[in-house]
């Protein structure tokens, strides 16, 4: 009798094995990356590169879909409405992950409770830019001019709560100066007014003004990274140039809904890491103003936790509100 039960148990276990293996295999169908911003921007381009990498590395078609609105919040919510199976990912940037949760009190999610960081694709430093003919040549010049006439110098941003806005407020805080913030509806009109001499300076994500810098219309006086960047090797950091403690770096990565199976998380992470390590992709990212990052999901989670805390402290200190 015992022998019969044992055989029945083994048979049942063997019958269940194909189903278990099917559940563990990933992916078995196509994937989707939700882009919470409009087509054509740097986030859109990077997300589509990630879709290309996942398609090539995993053998399943990965499509990218733009779902815009509310500074990225609507796209983020769409990912949370999908099953936590790893097949729906989000193209994550500071806006929906580390900025909006501090500025939008009714935001329907908490970044590290509801999302799982999957893969850290890359980062780009903030750049302090002025028009080509500006008398401001260095960070020392900028600080001296701001202290000589507090509030007279203006800095532009792509809008209240944008990366450029927070980068400018961080500079004011760390340098102990007063600059007047002028928000625009996007980086392009802000850059246009700097070029035209109507605004003095901007603290913007490098890819957003890369074209203006390459064309010679704008000039970089410093970068916001903790060390000099291979993207702009001859440009000093803001801290190196005389403002200790200043660090402002934008980033890009993929996120999934919390609860993603560990095997799926590991597979997605490995695919992106392998993709960005290829020389052709590294060169493509550099051309977009992005330094590849990579690493395990846990390290990316730690990075996001630090950025989330630092951003919250800055927003509270500078008393920034969404209005």
């Amino acid at each position: 009798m015992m022998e019969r039960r044992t055989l029945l148990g083994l048979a049942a276990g063997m019958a269940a094995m194909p189903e278990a293996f099917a559940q563990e295999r990933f992916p078995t169908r196509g994937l989707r990356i939700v882009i919470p911003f409009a087509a054509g921007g740097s986030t859109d381009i990077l997300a589509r590169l990630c879709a290309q990498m996942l398609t090539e590395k995993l053998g399943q078609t990965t499509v990218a879909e733009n779902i815009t609105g509310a500074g990225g919040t609507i796209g983020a919510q769409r990912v949370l409405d999908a099953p936590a199976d790893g097949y729906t990912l989000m193209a994550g940037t500071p806006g929906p992950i580390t900025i909006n949760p501090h500025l939008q009190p009714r935001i329907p999610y908490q970044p590290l409770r509801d999302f799982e960081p999957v893969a850290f694709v890359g980062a780009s430093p903030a750049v302090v830019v002025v028009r080509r003919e500006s008398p401001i040549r260095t960070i020392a010049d900028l600080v001296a001019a701001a202290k000589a006439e507090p509030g007279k110098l203006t800095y532009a941003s792509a809008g209240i709560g944008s990366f450029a806005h927070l980068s400018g407020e961080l500079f004011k805080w760390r340098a102990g100066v007063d600059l007047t913030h002028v928000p625009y509806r996007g980086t392009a009109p802000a850059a246009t007014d700097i070029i035209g001499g109507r605004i003095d300076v901007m603290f913007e994500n490098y890819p957003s003004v890369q074209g203006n810098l390459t064309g010679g219309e704008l000039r970089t006086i410093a970068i916001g990274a903790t060390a000099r960047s291979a993207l702009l090797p001859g440009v000093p950091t803001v801290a190196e140039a005389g403002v200790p403690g200043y660090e402002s770096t934008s980033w890009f990565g993929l996120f999934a809904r919390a609860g993603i199976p560990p095997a799926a998380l590991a597979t997605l992470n490995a695919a992106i890491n392998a993709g960005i390590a290829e020389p052709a992709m590294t060169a493509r990212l550099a051309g977009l103003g992005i330094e590849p990052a990579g690493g395990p999901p846990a390290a990316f989670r730690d990075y996001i936790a630090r950025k989330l805390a630092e951003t919250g402290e800055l927003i509270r200190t500078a008393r920034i509100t969404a209005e």
Side-chain angles (χ1 to χ4, degrees):
M1 191 69 172
M2 182 63 70
E3 182 178 355
R4 175 178 169 77
R5 288 178 178 173
T6 302
L7 289 172
L8 287 173
L10 289 171
M14 291 178 67
M17 284 175 67
E19 181 181 354
F21 285 149
Q23 291 174 350
E24 290 178 4
R25 286 201 308 270
F26 178 89
T28 58
R29 52 186 171 84
L31 298 93
R32 178 175 67 144
I33 299 176
V34 172
I35 307 167
F37 301 104
S42 58
T43 302
D44 180 73
I45 295 170
L46 289 168
R48 294 181 188 279
L49 286 178
C50 286
Q52 175 187 326
M53 286 187 272
L54 292 177
T55 297
E56 293 174 353
K57 301 299 180 185
L58 301 180
Q60 295 287 350
T61 300
T62 303
V63 299
E65 179 183 3
N66 301 89
I67 300 177
T68 65
T73 301
I74 292 177
Q77 186 59 52
R78 190 68 60 88
V79 175
L80 296 180
D81 291 339
D85 54 12
Y87 285 90
T88 300
L89 306 171
M90 181 177 74
T93 61
I97 298 295
T98 58
I99 297 176
N100 292 354
H102 295 294
L103 288 178
Q104 300 179 19
R106 295 184 181 85
I107 201 165
Y109 59 83
Q110 293 182 20
L112 292 180
R113 180 196 68 187
D114 300 321
F115 287 102
E116 189 62 48
V118 172
F120 191 174
V121 177
S124 57
V127 285
V128 186
V129 298
V130 296
R131 68 183 181 279
R132 181 176 50 199
E133 304 85 359
S134 173
I136 297 172
R137 312 294 301 184
T138 66
I139 289 295
D141 291 342
L142 177 58
V143 171
K147 288 187 173 180
E149 297 182 274
K152 182 180 179 181
L153 291 185
T154 54
Y155 82 92
S157 82
I160 294 174
S162 65
F163 175 78
H165 180 198
L166 269 62
S167 297
E169 290 300 312
L170 180 63
F171 183 84
K172 289 169 56 178
W173 180 21
R174 296 300 189 197
V177 297
D178 183 18
L179 305 173
T180 297
H181 176 221
V182 182
Y184 288 78
R185 292 189 176 183
T187 301
T192 296
D193 273 7
I194 291 181
I195 295 167
R198 290 175 287 277
I199 298 292
D200 296 300
V201 65
M202 183 159 61
F203 306 80
E204 183 56 282
N205 182 21
Y206 174 56
S208 297
V209 291
Q210 188 175 12
N212 300 114
L213 294 169
T214 302
E217 300 163 313
L218 295 176
R219 179 163 43 83
T220 306
I221 62 173
I223 64 170
T226 55
R228 291 202 180 200
S229 171
L231 300 171
L232 295 164
V235 179
T237 69
V238 175
E240 176 188 354
V243 182
Y246 185 90
E247 190 267 324
S248 184
T249 304
S250 187
W251 51 266
F252 175 88
L254 295 181
F255 292 77
R257 180 179 164 186
I260 177 176
L265 177 64
T267 298
L268 292 166
N269 177 265
I272 293 297
N273 282 342
I276 63 178
E278 294 179 352
M281 186 57 70
T282 298
R284 181 71 187 278
L285 292 173
L288 294 170
I290 303 293
E291 294 183 313
F300 188 27
R301 169 175 277 273
D302 290 343
Y303 178 86
I304 295 300
R306 178 170 66 84
K307 286 292 185 180
L308 191 61
E310 290 174 352
T311 301
E313 181 184 15
L314 172 61
I315 287 173
R316 290 188 296 272
T317 300
R319 298 180 180 178
I320 300 170
T321 63
E323 290 76 22

